[in-house]
Amino acid sequence: MSKFYLTTAIDYVNGEPHLGHAYEKIAADVIARFKRLAGYDTFFLTGTDEHSLNVARKAHAEGMSPKEFCDKMVDAFKRAWEKLDIKYDRFIRTTDADHVATVQDIVRRANERGYIYQGTYSGWYCVSCEAFLSESQLVDGRCPLHPSKKVEWVEEKNYFFALSRFQDALLDHIEKHPEFILPETRRNEIVNRIKEGLQDVSISRSSMEWGIPLPMDPSQVVYVWFDALINYLTGAGYAAFAAKTGAQERGADANTPAGVGADTSTRLGANAGTGASAGPDAGPGGDAAGSGCFEKWWPADLHIIGKDITWFHCVIWPATLMAAGLPLPRTVFGHGFVNIGGARMSKSEGTVVDPIKLVDEYGADALRYYLMRDIQFGRDGDFTIEGLRERYNSDLANDLGNLLNRTVAMTERFLDGVVPAPGVRDARDDALVANALRVAQTARDKMEALDFSGALADIWTIVDDGNKYIDEKAPWTLARSEATRGALNTVMYNLVEALRVTAIMLSPFIPGAARKIWDQLGLDGNPEDAGWAGACEWGRTPPGTRIRRGEPIFPRLEVEARNRKEASREDKVNKTRTESGGEKKVAEDLITIDQFAQVNLRVAKVIDARKVEGAEKLLQLEVDLGTEKRQIVAGIARHYSPEELVGKEIVVVANLQPARLRGIVSQGMLLAAVSQDGDKVVVLTPDKEIEPGAKVR
């Protein structure tokens, strides 16, 4: 298996996790799950950034030590990722022992190779993003990313990293490896900034105690960004590697820029702290990426980060690796922001959405699906509750949930719950199969290109085609005759297979729902174990499999009416107040017992149902009234599938004057309860079985 080492940005712990954090972690989790599904030996690293001035100040304000504060906040982030079904391999903390050892070794190595020197820094510093800013970067004297916070003037003696010496080497690497920075817009931005000229950067702070001590001057701590970036090496097992190879002579790496003072006699990790261990959230076996596997996992294959920190990851980080003589990561992908009403989400600016509350109300799968479907990865996107609810009801409940419900219901009703062996296929059957197999390839290509919304759109063509296939094939009609039993078997087998293939391809996005689909289809194991290859071959569901019908995987949400006219609704029930302040019923809304007796309500049994062609809302029902059979047209197609109604007892108005709807005569009307906002419709049925034709009174 090819290896795939994936990382996210590590999050500041100065505030609770918000939807912006969740978006990045969900995207990374989707990638990691897909890579595992596609057969890659995958390692997924995420974690927290704990050494910062923000953290120290926040801890002090809460009367805690920085470490105590970090421990509390780390628990909040872990709970959030658990809620969102994020399956990482290691949760790294910059306070972990192996990370401290790694940072000190990389700083020591860069220093020994001549890239670190002492100097005096004076300039503006944004505490919110922990970044030094030049005058030209300020907007009205403030940080452009945190306009509500004042920048601070900093002047102190510290240590500098000779970033300016790597300008040509960085431009050369980016030119030779355009995939190093994605998407292209980010690459162009970085190249243009590099060409403007690189300035050396401070990598230490003398005014802070909360941080990793500088190995050559313990009175100072490593600047938080230099510290944080190195976590990617720590996660790959660098500390153990350095301790193991510390006595070995190692020459300059090919990535070391020519003529920048490479020291070919420097020993890698010569002074690294031996015996450093990973933190409590390391990979399998308690080791960082399976300790001793640095040679396997490094370089990283993909860094997923926000677009606001591409400069650190695409300039300072690769220069640091060059200075240490280590290979550069293959790709840094800078995704866009999740905006609220067009404004960037930010803790410091007070524009945040709590992902935990969203999960509690809508479920992790729904949130994951909405973010990956509606926001094109790499671009900014707006989050709205309305958009989330619409995707939930339209795609997940009406499309996917309905396809599963219809398939398992018909398998139970027509085939005693057993998946049949397929019979002869016709052109329509072949088209369903061909589309599913085509999507298995196109969706994989789009996943490899990080086009999540495009992959989901492709996968949804299988879902849409499956629902159309049911309507066109009408299994309830095929089930009436032994002559069409073979065709029924083919249709039902194909529907189960379409759902099996869909569950596999959806498992990176909505893992919980995909497992539920798998279970209801009666399949062994889970879709993740099947691998992407399982979606590329038709016919893997064994005939004879017994389905396990369960609850709807996405129960439809009741959508709130936005502009309810409460006064108008009240007027239909009550008169406005009289002068005395009393109220009385509206006479015209009341009927007499004699008037009610004129309505002939009967119990009817639905013996057939089908959609009315060209009418999204209408179903054509054939009902048994005991003494006769009638045809009724009802506007409930968005709330019930035909097979859900077949065999059900309903209540109908039997003495209603016939009406013609879409050219079809309707000989009565069924009764249904409608929610106040008109979004939920429930057909009224007797709570116990009774003979067709029974009078309702």
Side-chain angles (χ1 to χ4, degrees):
M1 289 191 296
S2 299
K3 71 91 178 175
F4 192 84
Y5 179 31
L6 166 72
T7 74
T8 69
I10 53 175
D11 300 312
Y12 284 139
V13 293
N14 61 315
E16 298 283 340
H18 60 63
L19 192 62
H21 297 125
Y23 173 67
E24 178 176 288
K25 304 311 178 284
I26 290 170
D29 186 63
V30 167
I31 296 168
R33 288 176 182 272
F34 164 71
K35 289 295 183 179
R36 297 183 192 112
L37 200 63
Y40 289 83
D41 187 6
T42 303
F43 192 86
F44 171 21
L45 177 75
T46 192
T48 47
D49 183 0
E50 302 176 23
H51 291 134
S52 74
L53 185 57
N54 267 327
V55 170
R57 289 180 175 178
K58 192 72 181 264
H60 177 74
E62 296 193 14
M64 306 170 73
S65 72
K67 185 61 165 61
E68 289 172 334
F69 176 77
C70 289
D71 291 344
K72 181 188 78 168
M73 296 306 299
V74 164
D75 287 342
F77 277 88
K78 287 181 181 177
R79 286 195 302 271
W81 304 158
E82 183 179 3
K83 276 271 197 178
L84 285 163
D85 212 351
I86 307 295
K87 190 178 180 181
Y88 52 77
D89 293 290
R90 177 178 177 181
F91 189 101
I92 194 169
R93 299 179 59 178
T94 53
T95 51
D96 287 343
D98 61 339
H99 179 67
V100 173
T102 298
V103 170
Q104 291 187 325
D105 190 70
I106 294 300
V107 171
R108 186 181 294 113
R109 184 163 172 78
N111 183 52
E112 291 173 349
R113 290 160 68 91
Y115 298 119
I116 295 176
Y117 63 90
Q118 284 186 286
T120 300
Y121 177 81
S122 59
W124 296 108
Y125 188 75
C126 175
V127 178
S128 293
C129 57
E130 299 283 356
F132 297 100
L133 301 172
S134 65
E135 283 289 348
S136 63
Q137 290 176 291
L138 299 179
V139 177
D140 296 328
R142 296 176 181 264
C143 171
L145 295 179
H146 303 97
S148 68
K149 308 293 182 180
K150 291 182 178 180
V151 291
E152 299 181 6
W153 182 261
V154 175
E155 188 169 341
E156 60 184 30
K157 289 184 178 181
N158 48 32
Y159 289 78
F160 284 77
F161 174 57
L163 181 64
S164 59
R165 296 167 63 183
F166 294 88
Q167 180 165 329
D168 292 340
L170 286 169
L171 289 173
D172 181 66
H173 182 81
I174 295 169
E175 181 180 355
K176 290 178 179 176
H177 303 279
E179 75 284 358
F180 176 60
I181 305 175
L182 293 175
E184 185 181 0
T185 52
R186 312 276 183 265
R187 181 168 67 247
N188 293 338
E189 291 168 1
I190 293 298
V191 168
N192 290 336
R193 282 191 65 183
I194 294 174
K195 288 180 177 179
E196 291 174 0
L198 296 180
Q199 303 294 319
D200 294 349
V201 295
S202 171
I203 64 158
S204 73
R205 299 295 305 275
S206 63
S207 57
M208 282 184 60
E209 295 181 358
W210 177 239
I212 297 175
L214 208 62
M216 58 277 199
D217 185 352
S219 69
Q220 301 208 19
V221 298
V222 179
Y223 171 46
V224 62
W225 267 109
F226 212 74
D227 163 3
L229 292 164
I230 294 171
N231 90 88
Y232 307 130
L233 292 176
T234 307
Y238 179 87
F241 168 76
K244 180 179 67 176
T245 61
Q248 300 176 11
E249 294 289 334
R250 294 178 61 87
D253 184 88
N255 282 309
T256 301
V260 292
D263 178 3
T264 57
S265 66
T266 301
R267 293 183 295 176
L268 179 61
N271 299 309
T274 56
S277 61
D281 301 296
D287 296 328
S291 184
C293 294
F294 182 72
E295 302 95 322
K296 170 185 176 180
W297 293 110
W298 195 260
D301 294 277
L302 180 61
H303 291 322
I304 294 293
I305 60 164
K307 67 177 184 179
D308 55 327
I309 55 175
T310 51
W311 179 257
F312 298 99
H313 283 80
C314 299
V315 178
I316 295 176
W317 176 227
T320 301
L321 291 168
M322 289 178 178
L326 294 171
L328 273 56
R330 302 189 194 285
T331 300
V332 179
F333 192 101
H335 63 77
F337 294 146
V338 179
N339 296 327
I340 304 296
R344 179 201 175 200
M345 205 172 299
S346 168
K347 292 192 298 284
S348 59
E349 298 303 308
T351 53
V352 296
V353 173
D354 184 355
I356 302 304
K357 291 182 179 178
L358 293 174
V359 171
D360 288 342
E361 186 167 358
Y362 302 102
D365 286 328
L367 181 59
R368 289 169 64 106
Y369 176 80
Y370 168 63
L371 292 174
M372 294 299 100
R373 182 68 188 266
D374 270 33
I375 301 177
Q376 187 172 341
F377 200 56
R379 298 184 180 179
D380 293 350
D382 264 326
F383 170 85
T384 66
I385 290 293
E386 294 81 5
L388 171 59
R389 295 175 72 91
E390 174 61 28
R391 281 295 183 190
Y392 183 108
N393 276 337
S394 174
D395 294 15
L396 299 176
N398 289 0
D399 295 344
L400 180 62
N402 195 34
L403 178 61
L404 176 64
N405 293 342
R406 300 172 83 183
T407 299
V408 296
M410 290 189 293
T411 304
E412 276 191 342
R413 184 174 298 126
F414 304 143
L415 299 165
D416 296 324
V418 177
V419 178
V424 177
R425 296 193 326 211
D426 62 19
R428 183 62 181 92
D429 301 318
D430 290 339
L432 179 82
V433 176
N435 180 63
L437 296 179
R438 175 191 63 81
V439 169
Q441 183 57 54
T442 61
R444 175 169 182 154
D445 292 343
K446 289 178 179 177
M447 291 295 289
E448 294 282 7
L450 307 185
D451 180 8
F452 307 132
S453 55
L456 283 169
D458 278 2
I459 295 168
W460 235 251
T461 67
I462 303 176
V463 177
D464 290 340
D465 194 38
N467 281 312
K468 291 177 183 176
Y469 180 72
I470 291 175
D471 295 338
E472 293 170 12
K473 286 289 187 175
W476 47 90
T477 301
L478 298 176
R480 294 175 186 168
S481 170
E482 282 300 318
T484 53
R485 177 65 57 170
L488 172 68
N489 290 347
T490 298
V491 170
M492 296 312 302
Y493 185 84
N494 285 345
L495 289 171
V496 170
E497 270 294 272
L499 281 163
R500 181 190 67 82
V501 167
T502 300
I504 293 172
M505 289 190 281
L506 285 179
S507 63
F509 298 97
I510 49 174
R515 288 189 290 270
K516 290 178 182 178
I517 293 171
W518 201 261
D519 185 62
Q520 291 201 28
L521 295 179
L523 299 169
D524 294 331
N526 58 66
E528 292 96 332
D529 293 339
W532 197 273
C536 300
E537 182 179 345
W538 194 266
R540 288 196 175 189
T541 300
T545 299
R546 181 168 291 280
I547 59 103
R548 297 185 285 260
R549 187 178 184 183
E551 295 296 320
I553 58 174
F554 291 106
R556 186 174 171 83
L557 300 173
E558 289 187 44
V559 180
E560 296 177 1
R562 281 191 162 272
N563 298 306
R564 294 179 180 175
K565 297 181 179 179
E566 297 293 347
S568 178
R569 183 179 293 117
E570 290 290 332
D571 283 345
K572 293 181 180 179
V573 180
N574 301 309
K575 277 286 190 184
T576 55
R577 293 189 179 122
T578 61
E579 291 182 3
S580 63
E583 296 182 352
K584 60 181 181 179
K585 294 292 181 182
V586 181
E588 54 266 33
D589 280 350
L590 301 178
I591 64 172
T592 66
I593 189 67
D594 292 333
Q595 289 174 313
F596 175 75
Q598 295 176 22
V599 182
N600 185 7
L601 299 178
R602 301 278 178 174
V603 172
K605 186 169 186 176
V606 181
I607 56 179
D608 191 21
R610 63 178 64 89
K611 283 192 173 183
V612 174
E613 187 174 352
E616 292 184 1
K617 298 181 180 180
L618 299 182
L619 289 182
Q620 180 179 340
L621 310 179
E622 184 180 352
V623 300
D624 181 3
L625 276 168
T627 58
E628 63 176 314
K629 291 182 175 61
R630 287 195 191 178
Q631 178 176 273
I632 293 176
V633 178
I636 57 173
R638 289 183 176 176
H639 307 275
Y640 288 88
S641 60
E643 55 274 12
E644 284 182 282
L645 293 172
V646 173
K648 187 183 290 291
E649 289 185 336
I650 62 175
V651 178
V652 302
V653 179
N655 63 336
L656 191 68
Q657 185 175 344
R660 186 175 294 273
L661 300 172
R662 289 289 181 123
I664 303 171
V665 175
S666 181
Q667 301 166 304
M669 178 179 70
L670 64 79
L671 297 189
V674 182
S675 61
Q676 288 188 346
D677 58 16
D679 187 68
K680 188 173 184 179
V681 175
V682 178
V683 172
L684 299 186
T685 63
D687 68 345
K688 294 181 180 179
E689 188 173 346
I690 192 169
E691 72 277 2
K695 186 174 178 60
V696 178
R697 59 186 181 185

